[in-house]
Amino acid sequence: MSGRTTVERRPAERAVATRPVPLASPARPRRKNRLTALLGSGAVQAVLILVALVWITPLAGLFLSSLRSERDNASDGWWTALTDPSQLSLDNYTALFEDSGIGEAFWNTVLISVPTTLLVVGIAALAGYAFAWLDFPGRDAIFLVVVGLLVVPVQIGLLPVAKLFGAVGLFGTVAGVVLFHVAYGLPFAVFLLRNYFAEIPKEMLEAARMDGGSEWRIFSRLVLPLGRPAIASLAIFQFLWVWNDMLVALLFADSESQPLTVALQSEMRQFGSNIGVLAPGAFLSLVVPLVVFFAFQRHFVQGVMAGSVK
């Protein structure tokens, strides 16, 4: 018999005893640093610059064509203006707003897009908060109906709504176009904001209620600031969809309330290749969504990435 005492360890204890204690390994910072180094490499930057040039070339060509006379556009390409800036002038834009209905159609587009976006975002934010955090009879059933409306195509409601608007005197007006866009934009908007608001920690709302905050104060002072990325993303999507729409406006708007898309289509149908009107009108139709997107780009990226990284 040896004097040494042997203690038999159980498997779990042996595993704990032999397992190395992990050091604080910054795995995420390492991956972030590798991604930063990859994006900072010269080859990747060259590819990104090339892609940006490919995307921006049509926009630059349309812009230069809108500043050239119809005779210059018919004789040679828009790139000749880069070496001969004397071809460029604002005469096409002056004629666009003075001698055609494109200018009026541009303001009709603004009157349709801006109120529609504000109404959809405002109503959807209220409804999304109610579906996420308020208890009322039939909440889940009503939300399922809203989700079910997402699969209803716009084309199904064109004729019935047109008959309804004709009966109440809204057919052929800006208000009729706005109401149609609001009605068909709300299901997706409510679904998006409800799911985003539901991710807000419940403890935060309960603490606000314990401090005496009303539901309206909690919604306006707490939920809306936290939901700003999703709201900004929704506003951009809704604005772009309404601004570029032609199907709904073609049916519900008349000659006095038609937006820019319908006016450009009418100009093309009547005058064919009237580049002196079509080029500046098309550039106006394109540049406004670009300005809106870049103005809210930071919030848009935050809204798209929300919930993807925990």
Side-chain angles (χ1 to χ4, degrees):
M1 250 334 253
S2 165
R4 182 182 300 173
T5 302
T6 304
V7 179
E8 182 67 23
R9 295 183 178 180
R10 289 174 294 183
E13 294 176 347
R14 290 200 303 269
V16 173
T18 59
R19 184 182 303 160
V21 178
L23 299 176
S25 176
R28 288 186 179 178
R30 287 180 181 176
R31 289 195 294 267
K32 184 178 180 181
N33 292 336
R34 287 198 298 266
L35 180 60
T36 304
L38 178 62
L39 294 178
S41 63
V44 175
Q45 290 184 355
V47 171
L48 294 177
I49 292 174
L50 179 62
V51 172
L53 290 176
V54 171
W55 278 96
I56 204 173
T57 297
L59 177 62
L62 180 62
F63 175 65
L64 293 178
S65 298
S66 67
L67 296 176
R68 303 172 71 216
S69 65
E70 188 170 356
R71 183 181 61 184
D72 291 335
N73 285 320
S75 61
D76 47 31
W78 57 267
W79 51 86
T80 59
L82 298 175
T83 58
D84 186 11
S86 61
Q87 301 178 7
L88 306 179
S89 67
L90 296 176
D91 295 339
N92 288 339
Y93 287 92
T94 303
L96 180 72
F97 285 97
E98 291 181 354
D99 302 332
S100 68
I102 300 294
E104 183 179 356
F106 175 82
W107 294 116
N108 287 337
T109 309
V110 175
L111 293 177
I112 292 172
S113 302
V114 174
T116 299
T117 303
L118 294 178
L119 286 173
V120 169
V121 171
I123 298 174
L126 292 170
Y129 175 74
F131 283 125
W133 294 110
L134 299 183
D135 292 327
F136 55 90
R139 183 187 67 174
D140 295 337
I142 297 174
F143 183 69
L144 288 177
V145 173
V146 173
V147 174
L149 292 175
L150 289 172
V151 302
V152 179
V154 176
Q155 292 81 0
I156 292 180
L158 291 177
L159 292 180
V161 176
K163 292 181 180 179
L164 176 63
F165 282 179
V168 299
L170 289 175
F171 189 83
T173 63
V174 172
V177 181
V178 170
L179 287 178
F180 188 92
H181 282 302
V182 170
Y184 274 85
L186 277 176
F188 173 75
V190 173
F191 175 75
L192 175 68
L193 294 186
R194 182 266 177 192
N195 292 340
Y196 191 91
F197 292 161
E199 297 296 326
I200 297 176
K202 184 178 180 180
E203 294 78 9
M204 189 180 299
L205 301 180
E206 291 178 349
R209 293 190 180 98
M210 292 179 63
D211 290 339
S214 62
E215 294 296 336
W216 173 254
R217 191 176 184 87
I218 294 173
F219 171 75
S220 59
R221 298 293 182 87
L222 181 63
V223 175
L224 285 184
L226 292 175
R228 184 172 55 184
I231 293 173
S233 301
L234 173 63
I236 291 174
F237 279 125
Q238 183 66 34
F239 181 84
L240 296 182
W241 182 58
V242 177
W243 183 275
N244 295 320
D245 171 74
M246 188 175 71
L247 176 62
V248 176
L250 192 62
L251 180 61
F252 289 94
D254 58 11
S255 58
E256 296 181 357
S257 59
Q258 63 181 4
L260 193 57
T261 53
V262 179
L264 291 175
Q265 189 266 347
S266 300
E267 289 285 340
M268 185 177 298
R269 183 178 56 189
Q270 294 176 6
F271 303 106
S273 59
N274 188 6
I275 194 67
V277 174
L278 294 177
F283 182 77
L284 284 179
S285 179
L286 177 64
V287 72
V288 172
L290 286 177
V291 172
V292 171
F293 176 79
F294 284 113
F296 296 94
Q297 181 183 10
R298 180 170 60 90
H299 301 296
F300 176 76
V301 174
Q302 293 177 358
V304 171
M305 297 299 294
S308 62
V309 178
K310 295 295 184 181

